Amino acid sequence: MTPKTLSKKIANLALSKKANNVLILDLRKLTDMADFFVVCSADSDVQVKAIADAIVDGMEDVGSSPWHQEGLTNRQWVLLDYVDVVVHVFHKEMRKFYGLEKLWGDAKIEEVMDKPAPKKATRKPRTTKKKK
């Protein structure tokens, strides 16, 4: 799996647990420490853990485990290092405080959003003719 594909897979796994403001930062032209950051936030520490767990479990399903992970006990900022892709799952207040996107402001940023649910076909109400 290419780093770009991996970052998109991780972003979608985060969205599966209702992560907020999911961004992929392309760092390839800026540094050699990682190709991409996936950054997202959660409204509570429980949701931070749920997002991180969903990413780890989903990636293990495709045969990829994090090389390193931090913050799972504190649940304010979880870092999952997949070597070419580093994932940052923030509690929303911590994300504001650290401003990671501003630190990497020269990176190309892609916002990843949930795909809207398909529209259900609507049926027109049946009209019945009145019998005389």
Side-chain angles (χ1 to χ4, degrees):
M1 190 177 301
T2 68
K4 180 69 175 173
T5 305
L6 182 69
S7 67
K8 287 185 180 265
K9 170 83 174 158
I10 289 169
N12 284 310
L13 288 166
L15 286 170
S16 76
K17 293 299 177 183
K18 305 299 181 202
N20 301 314
N21 196 17
V22 181
L23 303 176
I24 297 174
L25 283 67
D26 186 342
L27 307 174
R28 291 177 290 188
K29 294 183 179 177
L30 304 174
T31 185
D32 59 0
M33 91 171 149
D35 289 344
F36 296 94
F37 278 176
V38 177
V39 183
C40 64
S41 50
D43 295 323
S44 68
D45 60 339
V46 173
Q47 188 184 14
V48 168
K49 181 162 181 357
I51 293 166
D53 287 347
I55 293 168
V56 170
D57 293 345
M59 293 309 298
E60 285 177 353
D61 288 346
V62 295
S64 186
S65 296
W67 175 74
H68 182 74
Q69 48 190 355
E70 292 181 24
L72 287 169
T73 53
N74 193 16
R75 299 180 184 181
Q76 296 297 303
W77 178 0
V78 174
L79 182 138
L80 303 170
D81 187 345
Y82 288 92
V83 183
D84 293 325
V85 178
V86 178
V87 184
H88 301 271
V89 182
F90 285 100
H91 188 284
K92 65 182 176 182
E93 297 303 320
M94 295 298 277
R95 185 169 181 176
K96 287 178 196 174
F97 180 79
Y98 284 104
L100 199 61
E101 299 94 315
K102 290 179 184 172
L103 289 173
W104 292 96
D106 293 337
K108 182 181 171 192
I109 298 176
E110 176 185 348
E111 185 174 8
V112 183
M113 300 169 68
D114 263 336
K115 293 177 185 170
K119 292 184 179 180
K120 292 184 179 179
T122 56
R123 288 179 45 181
K124 293 183 180 179
R126 262 188 165 173
T127 56
T128 55
K129 295 182 180 178
K130 292 183 181 179
K131 293 183 181 179
K132 292 186 179 183

